[in-house]
Amino acid sequence: MREIIIDTETTGIERKVDRIVEIGCVEINNWLPTGKTFHKYVNPTHPVHREAFAVHGLSKEFLKTKPTFKRVVNQFLAFIGDARLVAHNAPFDLGMINDELDRLDMPPLQNEIVDTLELAKAKRPRGRHTLDGLCSAFNIDTSRRKLHGALLDAELLSEVYVELRGGRQYGLSLLGEKEEVTIDNLPAARQRLVPLPSRLTDEERRLHAAFVETLGEKAIWREYR
């Protein structure tokens, strides 16, 4: 299943007033990264609040040379297509996108949406549900993250999302504890529908049988004849 992990940075938190300044998307397919991403800085034509600048470090001076949302919207919509969209606190990020679409007289997104904040609350009710808290719980490296950035946060969220859905790290409990991995609880190996043909010739089998006969009645090799 194709899914798009999405994050935005904005001029502030007032949906009807503030604007998007950065969009980052990461494509995964069947919970594996495909290497495809979408990333744009956006000129909001609107002041960046001091509190927002402290979070993402994107100034009005930096953004004024970037394309407006109107100029990047078609590329963005083409990238996400009809994929399921995954965001942390999805009503905010996707609400901001829908508000931008509305200003352009374009219809809102119709994609299926997964909110990882709600997913985390359900899976880890006693844990911290911020992106940083979830990265810490799942031992995801955040050393590159000095400030918030839409693409970097989307990349981190893609790893968190995979862990919330079951994870690549077998035995990692969603309560933040390690489960003991034993022979009994290892996942079963996948079996081939059609077994591979033996590469041994009849002559090699005859020589091996003759060798085993020389080892005596208690030889362990007799168990594999």
Side-chain angles (χ1 to χ4, degrees):
M1 174 182 291
R2 182 175 184 263
E3 297 174 286
I4 301 297
I5 317 298
I6 186 168
D7 186 70
T8 65
E9 300 299 336
T10 63
T11 60
I13 60 173
E14 296 295 329
R15 277 185 47 186
K16 297 302 181 182
V17 177
D18 287 299
R19 304 288 192 271
I20 290 174
V21 298
E22 186 183 10
I23 303 175
C25 300
V26 173
E27 181 186 70
I28 63 174
N29 200 340
N30 294 326
W31 301 349
L32 294 174
T34 66
K36 295 180 180 179
T37 62
F38 177 88
H39 179 232
K40 292 290 182 182
Y41 292 110
V42 179
N43 181 356
T45 64
H46 186 82
V48 178
H49 294 297
R50 182 182 305 173
E51 295 83 359
F53 175 76
V55 171
H56 53 60
L58 301 175
S59 67
K60 181 179 179 181
E61 290 71 26
F62 172 79
L63 294 167
K64 68 182 181 181
T65 62
K66 306 306 177 186
T68 62
F69 186 82
K70 181 178 181 179
R71 289 180 56 193
V72 304
V73 63
N74 288 333
Q75 298 173 54
F76 166 70
L77 294 175
F79 182 81
I80 65 172
D82 60 358
R84 175 188 288 168
L85 303 181
V86 180
H88 201 64
N89 191 16
F92 177 78
D93 290 281
L94 299 178
M96 291 293 294
I97 292 172
N98 282 334
D99 287 342
E100 294 280 12
L101 292 171
D102 184 62
R103 294 183 188 103
L104 298 175
D105 294 322
M106 300 178 71
L109 299 174
Q110 299 298 317
N111 304 60
E112 182 184 351
I113 295 170
V114 173
D115 186 352
T116 51
L117 178 57
E118 294 304 316
L119 185 60
K121 288 177 180 179
K123 295 287 188 179
R124 306 181 67 252
R126 298 194 297 274
R128 292 170 57 211
H129 302 128
T130 63
L131 180 57
D132 283 335
L134 292 168
C135 285
S136 177
F138 293 124
N139 296 317
I140 295 169
D141 182 15
T142 61
S143 59
R144 295 181 296 153
R145 193 175 186 246
K146 308 306 179 184
L147 293 170
H148 283 254
L151 183 59
L152 177 55
D153 282 4
E155 290 172 345
L156 293 173
L157 184 58
S158 69
E159 296 185 61
V160 166
Y161 177 59
V162 169
E163 297 296 348
L164 288 172
R165 286 300 197 188
R168 288 189 292 261
Q169 299 177 24
Y170 186 81
L172 180 59
S173 170
L174 291 174
L175 297 179
E177 300 175 351
K178 295 285 186 178
E179 296 176 352
E180 183 180 1
V181 179
T182 68
I183 294 298
D184 293 331
N185 66 22
L186 283 174
R190 295 179 61 186
Q191 300 296 317
R192 293 181 179 272
L193 296 178
V194 179
L196 291 175
S198 173
R199 299 181 65 180
L200 292 175
T201 65
D202 290 340
E203 177 63 14
E204 288 171 329
R205 290 193 183 90
R206 187 188 65 77
L207 291 173
H208 176 70
F211 168 73
V212 170
E213 289 297 328
T214 68
L215 300 178
E217 292 297 326
K218 296 184 179 181
I220 61 172
W221 286 105
R222 290 183 176 273
E223 299 176 17
Y224 300 95
R225 293 172 60 179

